[in-house]
Amino acid sequence: MGRRSKPVIAINKETQERRVFDCVFECANAFGVSNAAVLVAMSRGTSVKGWRLFDSPENIRLRIQELEEQIKMLEEEAG
């Protein structure tokens, strides 16, 4: 299976300017940080150089669905 491109949405904390990047690499290059810094900021809800970084709404919805399935599984095992 090939690697999927992970889009990144960046929102400036002060100006609310929004930038959309096709992939983590593109975002990292634009802000002069590592790919890992971008991924950490996306997963923890923190910022990089004054920009909050987010996954795409579609990917967030998929992650929510995965988490809901995990909760259901854990609740069934506990009950």
Side-chain angles (χ1 to χ4, degrees):
M1 177 188 294
R3 295 173 66 183
R4 288 187 320 141
S5 178
K6 186 175 193 70
V8 180
I9 299 169
I11 300 175
N12 186 286
K13 289 170 50 174
E14 290 185 22
T15 66
Q16 299 304 307
E17 176 187 352
R18 180 180 298 251
R19 294 177 65 182
V20 179
F21 300 95
D22 291 332
C23 64
V24 170
F25 180 77
E26 182 182 336
C27 179
N29 280 343
F31 294 122
V33 298
S34 68
N35 292 352
V38 171
L39 291 168
V40 167
M42 290 172 68
S43 69
R44 294 187 179 167
T46 57
S47 62
V48 168
K49 297 200 175 182
W51 293 79
R52 291 200 57 207
L53 305 181
F54 300 93
D55 206 338
S56 69
E58 297 82 18
N59 285 343
I60 293 171
R61 285 185 188 94
L62 287 172
R63 183 66 183 138
I64 290 169
Q65 183 179 4
E66 291 170 357
L67 290 170
E68 287 176 343
E69 290 171 7
Q70 288 177 16
I71 290 169
K72 183 178 177 182
M73 178 187 65
L74 292 170
E75 288 176 340
E76 287 173 354
E77 288 178 4

